Amino acid sequence: MEIVCVESLASTHLFLCEKIRKDEIKENFAIYALKQTNGVGSRENTWQSKEGNLHLSFCIKQEDLAQDLPLASASIYFAYLLKELLESKGSQLWLKWPNDLYIKDLKVGGVISAKIKNFIIGGIGLNLKFAPKNAALLDINITLKDLVEEFVKILEQKILWKDIFSKYMIEFEKSRKFSVHYEGKEFLLEDAFLYEDGSILLDNKRVYSLR
């Protein structure tokens, strides 16, 4: 996968999506910006960040991902891979369903995903140097370059969803004291049922994590 670093972009996610729609990107590709001025978060919210944080977007052909990956749970898959990488370096990071990265009770980052043509697009924001109010910084030191390069290597391993999910089932229990927003409403996760494809049962509806 080609990796490109740029000085500044409004949004790495929107940049990548536009390039794919225009057929200007035809192979797996990753881009991260040292500064991002108009980041995109879950539910089309903006992502507050500053220079020094991770602003990464990448696209992978569907055929180059694990064959058993439920595409609607790509955010969980990408986030858990990142969590495991940082955990191996001493971080206490954990994944709140479906796409928020936390340390204890404070958010450190998040993951979004989308599908355009034959590409699955992932976007990651992570607080390395700056955290907004009521958020936290990553609890270990790692350079942007090392983080991106090591994460891309893990992506290319095509780790099976079943291997990720078997561990995430345990991790999901940490989410139960939190809530999520769905269709303009807030739902507690304490009684949510987690399906094998990463979706959950909320208010008698099956909810997926694709953003």
Side-chain angles (χ1 to χ4, degrees):
M1 181 185 292
E2 181 183 0
I3 301 172
V4 171
C5 175
V6 296
E7 190 72 29
S8 179
L9 269 180
S11 164
T12 58
H13 180 75
L14 295 180
F15 172 85
L16 198 54
C17 290
E18 181 181 3
K19 292 293 184 182
I20 293 171
R21 291 191 182 100
K22 292 180 176 179
D23 286 324
E24 294 177 10
I25 290 179
K26 299 182 183 296
E27 301 297 332
N28 298 342
F29 183 82
I31 183 169
Y32 67 104
L34 301 182
K35 183 179 181 181
Q36 184 170 255
T37 57
N38 190 27
V40 177
S42 299
R43 302 185 305 278
E44 299 183 353
N45 292 327
T46 58
W47 174 260
Q48 296 183 47
S49 187
K50 287 187 178 180
E51 188 169 351
N53 287 351
L54 177 67
H55 320 105
L56 168 68
S57 292
F58 53 91
C59 60
I60 306 177
K61 292 178 182 177
Q62 191 170 332
E63 65 203 53
D64 292 330
L65 286 165
Q67 292 183 347
D68 68 338
L69 175 62
L71 296 184
S73 289
S75 294
I76 294 174
Y77 179 79
F78 296 144
Y80 201 84
L81 292 179
L82 180 65
K83 176 257 184 186
E84 286 200 317
L85 168 61
L86 295 172
E87 188 178 53
S88 72
K89 297 179 179 297
S91 175
Q92 298 298 310
L93 199 72
W94 66 277
L95 173 58
K96 172 183 169 287
W97 191 93
N99 65 339
D100 292 328
L101 297 162
Y102 271 63
I103 291 176
K104 296 183 179 178
D105 291 346
L106 294 177
K107 186 173 178 178
V108 180
V111 177
I112 57 175
S113 61
K115 184 178 187 298
I116 300 176
K117 298 183 179 180
N118 66 325
F119 282 109
I120 304 301
I121 300 122
I124 300 175
L126 196 65
N127 299 332
L128 301 182
K129 300 295 182 181
F130 163 80
K133 186 178 179 180
N134 299 322
L137 290 172
L138 186 66
D139 54 349
I140 61 170
N141 291 317
I142 185 169
T143 68
L144 286 171
K145 184 174 184 292
D146 287 345
L147 177 53
V148 172
E149 289 180 356
E150 291 185 41
F151 179 67
V152 165
K153 286 180 181 177
I154 292 172
L155 280 179
E156 293 175 334
Q157 292 176 18
K158 296 185 181 182
I159 297 171
L160 294 176
W161 167 256
K162 68 176 184 179
D163 295 333
I164 294 296
F165 184 76
S166 64
K167 293 176 282 190
Y168 183 65
M169 286 177 63
I170 301 170
E171 181 102 332
F172 180 76
E173 295 303 310
K174 296 180 181 180
S175 293
R176 293 198 179 278
K177 65 178 181 177
F178 291 86
S179 61
V180 294
H181 290 87
Y182 175 66
E183 293 186 342
K185 298 179 181 178
E186 187 173 5
F187 295 93
L188 296 174
L189 288 171
E190 58 184 357
D191 297 320
F193 178 81
L194 178 67
Y195 291 95
E196 290 185 0
D197 64 355
S199 64
I200 59 173
L201 186 66
L202 273 184
D203 195 29
N204 295 316
K205 295 180 181 178
R206 199 158 178 171
V207 181
Y208 292 84
S209 69
L210 183 64
R211 301 298 186 182

